Amino acid sequence: MAPASRLLALWALAAVALPGSGAEGDGGWRPGGPGAVAEEERCTVERRADLTYAEFVQQYAFVRPVILQGLTDNSRFRALCSRDRLLASFGDRVVRLSTANTYSYHKVDLPFQEYVEQLLHPQDPTSLGNDTLYFFGDNNFTEWASLFRHYSPPPFGLLGTAPAYSFGIAGAGSGVPFHWHGPGYSEVIYGRKRWFLYPPEKTPEFHPNKTTLAWLRDTYPALPPSARPLECTIRAGEVLYFPDRWWHATLNLDTSVFISTFLG
Ligand SMILES: *[C@@H]1O[C@H](CO)[C@@H](O)[C@H](O)[C@H]1NC(C)=O
Ligand SMILES: *[C@@H]1O[C@H](CO)[C@@H](O)[C@H](O)[C@H]1NC(C)=O
Ligand SMILES: *[C@@H]1O[C@H](CO)[C@@H](O)[C@H](O)[C@H]1NC(C)=O
């Protein structure tokens, strides 16, 4: 090969192999649009890369949230969650969508491909949460078994609880406003998810039908330091643990693919 064409071949190889950009890094799910929401100024949830099970139980499980890094390797699952792979495998399957408000009872059934192509757009900042459809949970684990068997959940269990998955994909700026339930984990597969958390005794000020985006714009800026939530943005490969009954609201900063493991 002549030097010039060898260089060209090398360049082409590098362009294909470089992660973090274009279709390679985001799985074909587009990042945030022009009006993308920013990350927090300062993450106030601890990140731990080296946590033992004993430390998890003693320092976090019943006390405060924590972000776990490097616990599991879900790169195979991530590859299966690219836009092309999911559409090829599950495009014609019907998925159940929920409204993105605190007490969400309204459900809509739609083929997965229709959701991805028509509803998976950035959140309209003027819409209400109870008018916004969100794909998260209500998964049919029979139909999607070939995907979920490749997911490795966080290995730290809690006595007397059984893990249950909730899988979802949602547009930039979307999220669920403040709510609480039992303890669990949330892992980002593609994109970024910003979290806001309050302990059970500190009920936040929020409207259950407004979006997290509206809360961030209208309520958050006026909060005195003592009333601010714990907050952090997690990215692909990171897992956030939330203890029992902690209030939390989420905001997807990009088109995001995510999976929760609820410890019921
Ligand atoms: C959504 O919530 C608002 C405010 O709570 C309410 O006025 C409106 O009727 C609701 N929309 C639907 C479709 O239920
Ligand atoms: C929120 O919206 C639901 C239906 O979309 C409605 O039934 C409920 O009353 C609303 N809640 C408030 C506090 O406005
Ligand atoms: C899940 O999918 C299977 C196979 O298509 C179907 O028989 C079953 O009714 C579905 N379950 C629910 C809860 O929709």
Side-chain angles (χ1 to χ4, degrees), residues 115-192:
Y115 173 70
V116 170
E117 291 177 350
Q118 288 164 33
L119 293 185
L120 189 59
H121 43 61
Q123 173 75 45
D124 175 352
T126 62
S127 289
L128 283 164
N130 56 329
D131 282 332
T132 304
L133 290 170
Y134 195 72
F135 173 37
F136 179 56
D138 291 300
N139 307 111
N140 187 320
F141 292 101
T142 309
E143 291 187 342
W144 292 66
S146 60
L147 176 68
F148 293 123
R149 68 188 170 84
H150 294 284
Y151 181 63
S152 302
F156 299 161
L158 289 179
L159 204 63
T161 68
Y165 296 154
S166 270
F167 177 73
I169 304 172
S174 67
V176 179
F178 281 104
H179 64 285
W180 58 267
H181 41 64
Y185 300 95
S186 173
E187 176 162 358
V188 169
I189 304 301
Y190 284 113
R192 291 169 300 159

Side-chain angles (χ1 to χ4, degrees), residues 184-205:
Y185 300 95
S186 173
E187 176 162 358
V188 169
I189 304 301
Y190 284 113
R192 291 169 300 159
K193 192 187 280 285
R194 186 169 167 184
W195 283 78
F196 306 92
L197 302 117
Y198 286 99
E201 69 279 6
K202 237 177 146 178
T203 303
E205 183 195 332

Side-chain angles (χ1 to χ4, degrees), residues 16 37 54-55 107 114 117 125 132 140-141 148 170 186 209 233:
V16 172
V37 190
E55 287 169 332
K107 309 278 180 180
E114 244 174 80
E117 291 177 350
T132 304
N140 187 320
F141 292 101
F148 293 123
S186 173
N209 285 344
T233 297

Side-chain angles (χ1 to χ4, degrees), residues 7 14 23 34 37 42 81 85 87 91 98 101 144 156 179 209 213 241 244 250-251 253 255 260:
L7 214 64
V37 190
R42 196 169 69 88
C81 288
R85 298 288 284 269
L87 283 177
S98 311
N101 51 340
W144 292 66
F156 299 161
H179 64 285
N209 285 344
L213 196 58
Y241 169 77
D244 193 22
T250 57
L251 185 61
L253 301 188
T255 306
S260 290

